[in-house]
Amino acid sequence: MSGTEHPIHLSDDPRIGNILLTEEQLTSRIAELGAQITEDYAGRNPLLVCVLRGAYAFATDLCFAINLPIELDFIAVSSYGATTRTSGVVRLVKDLDVDLTDRDVILVEDIVDTGLTLRYLRRSLEARGPASLEVCTLLAREAADLEGLGVRYVGFTIGGDFVVGYGLDANEKYRNLRYLAVFDSSDTEVR
Ligand code: 5GP
């Protein structure tokens, strides 16, 4: 599967549009993020918290790009009545196994859109007494107020298009693309 073409099973899927970020672009930016985190957390043992399910691919590659003794845990949230835009109510679906007390936590997100999910997660994790809590997101919308959300690491800033691939889905499909593509959600309700 090449980094600049759709795989054969998607070649006639009319909802899949342009490739927004190729595998090569993702790999090289994630190497930079990993190097930055390695420098910022030198001598420490950060705990990466991957937000399921969208961030699983990013978190995997980010872990490999960090040259420190990291730990990894998972949390899952969902929003009620979701469409392509989040609905406003976030619910914890799977909690962490690890105790966050005095830990240096890096929350790993797929995309910050309205910031609602992140606001909810920050509140929930901050209440558990970590030594520090930073956010690393693969994508952020241009319109998102990242400063207000305390996002320290951003892979790419993107416009308003709905995107799929590299862990991000539309109705649970397309997660297994190695790149990010624009998805036309105009005639489907996307969850
Ligand atoms: P927020 O709470 O910031 O509005 O939304 C964050 C969540 O909405 C993301 O974690 C993701 O699950 C979903 N989301 C927002 N934009 C997109 C997108 O373009 N593609 C996909 N697949 N999910 C998105």
Side-chain angles (χ1 to χ4, degrees):
M1 209 187 287
S2 129
T4 52
E5 288 165 26
H6 297 309
I8 192 84
H9 77 280
L10 292 182
S11 54
D12 59 357
D13 186 332
R15 291 163 303 174
I16 292 281
N18 288 339
I19 294 179
L20 190 69
L21 293 167
T22 64
E23 183 179 355
E24 291 72 21
Q25 287 172 310
L26 290 165
T27 304
S28 107
R29 181 69 186 123
I30 292 166
E32 289 173 2
L33 289 172
Q36 189 63 54
I37 290 172
T38 302
E39 192 181 315
D40 294 347
Y41 287 81
R44 290 188 281 169
N45 170 26
L47 171 69
L48 272 65
V49 171
C50 169
V51 184
L52 296 173
R53 291 191 278 269
Y56 81 89
F58 174 47
T60 302
D61 286 342
L62 185 65
C63 285
F64 289 130
I66 297 173
N67 188 9
L68 290 171
I70 61 137
E71 289 175 39
L72 178 64
D73 201 356
F74 300 90
I75 197 165
V77 288
S78 79
S79 33
Y80 285 111
T83 58
T84 46
R85 293 279 165 259
T86 32
S87 60
V89 184
V90 182
R91 182 170 60 104
L92 194 62
V93 177
K94 183 222 168 287
D95 206 347
L96 299 169
D97 294 320
V98 172
D99 179 4
L100 297 193
T101 313
D102 298 331
R103 297 302 307 267
D104 290 306
V105 177
I106 305 175
L107 190 60
V108 182
E109 259 283 24
D110 54 356
I111 176 166
V112 180
D113 184 4
T114 64
L116 196 91
T117 309
L118 193 51
R119 209 163 283 127
Y120 169 86
L121 281 169
R122 277 204 84 100
R123 253 204 321 273
S124 169
L125 300 191
E126 259 159 9
R128 306 175 193 202
S132 65
L133 175 60
E134 301 290 354
V135 177
C136 178
T137 186
L138 176 64
L139 306 170
R141 299 264 186 230
E142 267 154 19
D145 171 18
L146 297 184
E147 222 163 277
L149 291 166
V151 180
R152 182 155 178 193
Y153 306 99
V154 179
F156 301 90
T157 303
I158 65 167
D161 286 330
F162 192 84
V163 295
V164 295
Y166 198 62
L168 285 86
D169 75 311
N171 296 333
E172 294 304 323
K173 295 211 175 62
Y174 310 107
R175 291 193 198 274
N176 61 331
L177 303 178
R178 290 188 179 276
Y179 54 82
L180 273 150
V182 174
F183 182 80
D184 176 7
S185 54
S186 55
D187 63 347
T188 10
E189 164 119 340
V190 183
R191 256 176 271 280

